[in-house]
Amino acid sequence: MHLEHLYIETERLILRPHILEDVQASYEMNLDVRVSRYTGDGGVVPRETIERRIVEDVLGDYQKYGYGRQAVVWKATGQFIGFAGLKYLEDLQEIDLGYRLCYDFWGKGIATEAANACLEMGFNHLKLPRVIGMVLPENKTSVRVLEKLGFLFENCIEEDGMTVEVYGKQAPQNG
Ligand SMILES: CC(C)(COP(=O)(O)OP(=O)(O)OC[C@H]1O[C@@H](n2cnc3c(N)ncnc32)[C@H](O)[C@@H]1OP(=O)(O)O)[C@@H](O)C(=O)NCCC(=O)NCCS
């Protein structure tokens, strides 16, 4: 499986496929309740859960679909600061854009920078017709990121007993 398209450099960031060594940093990021509050995937979870998500889910997605959530690295220091990227959702048959950052890196436009790079790759390289973003309505920061990226609100769905807002963005014409 060729994964070259998952290596992306932006102004301040490197996006790359996840590796096993990301498990500890990812676990530490998720320990922070400010980070895990609105993620909709169980909040703070044990290290084994993070390891399974990276090794089975994310690396599995790369093999199955040729893309999946990417690690976000702060270029200046080389440190893991979170993830961003696309994920195929089998139940909805949609491709979801997600992002999560260590708290110290919030408020600097980093999620927008990373997510924008993932979207460009998805539309231009993978030729995806459309991408969605799913967010808990109270997660105003994430809603704002989706809006800045040009996503439009579509509808609400129920997932695991929670109301989730679905936003969508179509591939740009001639893009
Ligand atoms: C969501 C997250 C990735 C955003 O990262 P970030 O790098 O701080 O985002 P950006 O700086 O690119 O953009 C944030 C925007 O939200 C705005 N914002 C921040 N807090 C806000 C609030 N309470 N209400 C409304 N807007 C808010 C910021 O002002 C900014 O918009 P602006 O550029 O117009 O000023 C980060 O907060 C995070 O990791 N949260 C926990 C995980 C999570 O919730 N992920 C998304 C699940 S759907």
Side-chain angles (χ1 to χ4, degrees):
M1 175 65 68
H2 294 290
L3 298 176
E4 286 86 357
H5 53 284
L6 299 184
Y7 293 86
I8 305 174
E9 182 170 351
T10 67
E11 191 188 338
R12 295 173 292 175
L13 311 170
I14 304 280
L15 279 67
R16 58 154 174 79
H18 274 89
I19 52 175
L20 198 54
E21 288 72 22
D22 296 330
V23 169
Q24 184 62 26
S26 186
Y27 169 59
E28 286 169 13
M29 169 176 75
N30 278 283
L31 280 178
D32 188 331
V33 290
R34 294 169 298 194
V35 173
S36 310
R37 184 176 298 147
Y38 301 126
T39 49
D41 62 357
V44 174
V45 293
R47 192 180 187 284
E48 298 73 56
T49 305
I50 299 291
E51 182 167 346
R52 188 188 49 70
R53 282 181 191 163
I54 289 181
V55 175
E56 293 178 25
D57 300 348
V58 178
L59 302 191
D61 281 349
Y62 298 159
Q63 292 308 315
K64 256 190 270 178
Y65 308 115
Y67 59 87
R69 305 283 199 229
Q70 291 154 262
V72 177
V73 172
W74 187 242
K75 213 196 284 186
T77 59
Q79 73 188 108
F80 172 101
I81 62 165
F83 71 72
L86 303 169
K87 179 180 174 58
Y88 184 68
L89 304 178
E90 278 173 17
D91 49 346
L92 296 179
Q93 298 190 6
E94 296 269 20
I95 295 142
D96 169 72
L97 175 68
Y99 33 76
R100 193 176 302 182
L101 296 174
C102 297
Y103 183 76
D104 288 350
F105 289 84
W106 290 17
K108 301 174 171 62
I110 296 173
T112 307
E113 184 174 324
N116 194 41
C118 298
L119 267 186
E120 268 186 24
M121 184 274 292
F123 289 139
N124 298 338
H125 178 85
L126 299 173
K127 306 287 182 204
L128 304 176
R130 136 189 180 89
V131 172
I132 65 164
M134 296 171 65
V135 60
L136 296 174
E138 57 270 39
N139 193 354
K140 300 295 179 205
T141 314
S142 184
V143 169
R144 181 75 193 119
V145 172
L146 290 173
E147 287 173 349
K148 286 198 290 179
L149 293 168
F151 281 75
L152 297 175
F153 173 77
E154 292 186 350
N155 61 320
C156 287
I157 60 171
E158 292 296 315
E159 279 234 324
D160 304 324
M162 292 177 286
T163 300
V164 179
E165 289 183 348
V166 179
Y167 285 71
K169 182 177 168 82
Q170 315 303 318
Q173 297 294 314
N174 311 315

